[in-house]
Structure formats: C-alpha cells, structure tokens
Amino acid sequence: MERLPKIGLPILIAVVALIIILAKSVVTIDAGYAGVLYKLNGGVDPDSEPLGEGINFVAPWNSVIEYEVRQQEIPEKMSVLSSNGLDIQLDASVLYQPDVVNLAKLHKEKGRNYLNRVLQPAIRSAARSVVGRYTPEQLYSSKRDAIQEEIFMETKKIVESQYIQLNSVLIRDVTLPPTIKQAIERKLKQEQESLEYEFRLVTAQKEAEKVIIEAQGKADANRILSASLTDKILQDKGIEATVKLSESPNSKVIVIGSGDSGMPIILGNQ
C-alpha cells in the first residue's frame, strides 16, 4: 500500500508533462491569418509553406508567428511638392496584403514590421516622384485619376519584389494652398463662362446661316416659278379658276374676257 503513492506520482507527473507537450504542440490559427514556423534548431526556412487556418501540430520546442493575410488598409497623409515647387497635401488610402506564398521570406527578410519598413516608404517615394511631374491645377482637376494610377504602379514596382501584394492606391483628397486653390477656381470659372459664350456665338451663327439658307431657297423657288409662268399658263389657270367659281353656289358676276390679257373679272356680292 505504501508503494502505490510512489508509483503513482511519476505516472501523474508523466501525464501532466504529456498534456503540456500536447498543448504546446497544437497551434490554432484564426480565419484570415497564416503562420510562419520558427524551428529552435534552424530558425525560419524561407522556402517553407505557411501554416493555414485551423489546427496545426508542431514540435513543442518550435514556435509559430502569425500574420494577417486579408486585405488591409492604411491611411496616408503626405506632404509633397508640385512641379513648380508648391506644397501639396495628399490624403490617400493604401490597400495591401502580404504575399501568402512567400510569407516565410517576408518574415525572414522584413519581419512583422514590414509595413513601416517597406510599404510606407515606398508609397511616399512614389507620391513625391509622381506629383513632382504635375502642376497644382492638374492635381486639383483633370489629372487626379492619372496621378492615382501612376502612384499605384510606381509603388507596386517597389513592393512586389519584397513579398507585399499591393491592391490599390486611392487618392481621397488633394489640398492646395488657399491662394492657389482660389486662383484655380477663378480660372476654371472664367474658362467655363468663355465656353458658354462661345457656344452661344456658334448657336447664333448657325441660326443666322439657317435663316439665310431658307431665304435663299425661297428666292430660288420664286425665281424658278416666275420663269415658268408664261402668259399661256396664266390664261389656262384663269380659265380653270373661272370654271370652278362658276360652279360655286355663291352669288357672283363673271365678266368673260374683260381683264388684262383677256382674263375674266369676277364680281361677287361681298
């Protein structure tokens, strides 16, 4: 009886140790995350595949570093210079996520702080380079979409070789110095008014041309009609009209051959 506790204690210790080992060997990775395996005897293998969502079994002396692999957003407010040296404030959003396939390389070469080490410097460098090619007026109005696309493409060239997937760069706002903004707005207003005035002039000119064309057409028609109306045709028309009037029940007096060129004179009761 005295030997049972001595035998049971090592068994109990072994069971507890086994439970601890099993607990440390099971790693659960949440949805939207992936894991990088760190081996005690070798560190991170850059060619290893990431551990996926759910339960993963690893040796208890190794560890797992988790990364969020869903698309993420960082807001960026940058001060950059335009082509003529004016200070421009850009308010942008950067949509990105780590390259899951190369997650081990990202961790080994850049670490979990890759956002500050790689992505933010890249977006700022690209923004300075792109904005420096445009005037404040282009930034404020017509070229914003083109600038946004150029910043995206230049940033992508920098980060895609460093295991970061850049999805989009969105320019939310461009802030100019107040005096420059007011000057641009006045210029745009004047240009709009000038376009409206030119439109009215073109419209008036087209209306005038239309009236001239219609008048010319009428004049040509009258000239052709006058040339075709001979005395014989007029007499025939007069006779036709006389016959129709003679058939009318209205009171009238028709004097045949009493008008010019022998045309009838019609005397009614009106």
Side-chain angles (χ1 to χ4, degrees):
M1 295 293 294
E2 293 180 357
R3 296 181 59 187
L4 289 177
K6 294 181 180 180
I7 297 175
L9 184 59
I11 294 175
L12 179 61
I13 293 173
V15 170
V16 171
L18 181 61
I19 293 173
I20 293 173
I21 291 172
L22 290 175
K24 291 181 67 66
S25 298
V26 177
V27 177
T28 302
I29 297 178
D30 293 335
Y33 286 77
V36 175
L37 181 63
Y38 178 87
K39 296 181 179 180
L40 185 63
N41 62 342
V44 174
D45 180 3
D47 296 322
S48 62
E49 295 184 1
L51 303 178
E53 301 174 0
I55 296 176
N56 295 270
F57 294 94
V58 298
W61 50 86
N62 295 334
S63 59
V64 175
I65 303 97
E66 291 190 22
Y67 278 80
E68 184 175 3
V69 294
R70 291 175 293 206
Q71 177 174 279
Q72 302 165 66
E73 176 189 4
I74 55 167
E76 274 293 313
K77 290 188 176 181
M78 299 169 281
S79 179
V80 292
L81 298 179
S82 65
S83 61
N84 53 1
L86 289 173
D87 185 54
I88 309 296
Q89 300 294 322
L90 286 185
D91 187 2
S93 285
V94 183
L95 304 180
Y96 72 99
Q97 60 196 94
D99 181 358
V100 181
V101 176
N102 294 302
L103 197 59
K105 292 180 181 178
L106 176 65
H107 180 73
K108 191 173 183 67
E109 297 180 19
K110 313 300 175 185
R112 300 188 70 176
N113 199 24
Y114 68 91
L115 177 63
N116 297 328
R117 291 178 177 175
V118 179
L119 185 55
Q120 287 181 320
I123 188 70
R124 291 167 185 169
S125 174
R128 286 194 295 269
S129 174
V130 172
V131 173
R133 298 196 288 264
Y134 292 92
T135 65
E137 184 177 347
Q138 291 172 324
L139 293 168
Y140 185 73
S141 55
S142 60
K143 296 294 184 179
R144 182 176 297 191
D145 290 342
I147 292 166
Q148 178 176 280
E149 181 64 20
E150 288 182 31
I151 293 175
F152 168 74
M153 294 304 297
E154 291 204 14
T155 306
K156 185 177 180 180
K157 288 178 183 177
I158 298 173
V159 302
E160 66 181 355
S161 62
Q162 303 190 59
Y163 322 118
I164 300 172
Q165 178 181 318
L166 186 67
N167 296 333
S168 185
V169 174
L170 306 175
I171 303 298
R172 293 196 300 259
D173 191 26
V174 177
T175 304
L176 306 178
T179 54
I180 301 300
K181 180 180 178 181
Q182 292 169 6
I184 291 174
E185 289 176 347
R186 285 196 300 270
K187 181 180 178 182
L188 292 175
K189 183 179 180 181
Q190 291 171 356
E191 290 177 351
Q192 183 63 31
E193 291 174 349
S194 176
L195 290 174
E196 291 177 358
Y197 180 71
E198 290 179 3
F199 176 76
R200 289 197 295 269
L201 287 179
V202 171
T203 302
Q205 182 179 358
K206 288 183 178 179
E207 288 295 330
E209 291 175 354
K210 179 181 177 182
V211 171
I212 293 172
I213 292 172
E214 290 178 349
Q216 186 65 44
K218 290 180 180 179
D220 292 342
N222 290 334
R223 186 170 58 254
I224 294 171
L225 182 60
S226 297
S228 64
L229 292 176
T230 63
D231 292 342
K232 178 62 177 175
I233 292 175
L234 290 173
Q235 288 177 357
D236 289 342
K237 294 294 183 182
I239 293 170
E240 290 178 5
T242 302
V243 171
K244 290 181 179 180
L245 287 171
S246 65
E247 295 173 351
S248 173
N250 297 327
S251 261
K252 82 282 293 180
V253 175
I254 302 174
V255 181
I256 303 298
S258 299
D260 295 337
S261 302
M263 295 295 292
I265 296 176
I266 303 170
L267 303 176
N269 59 359
Q270 301 293 328

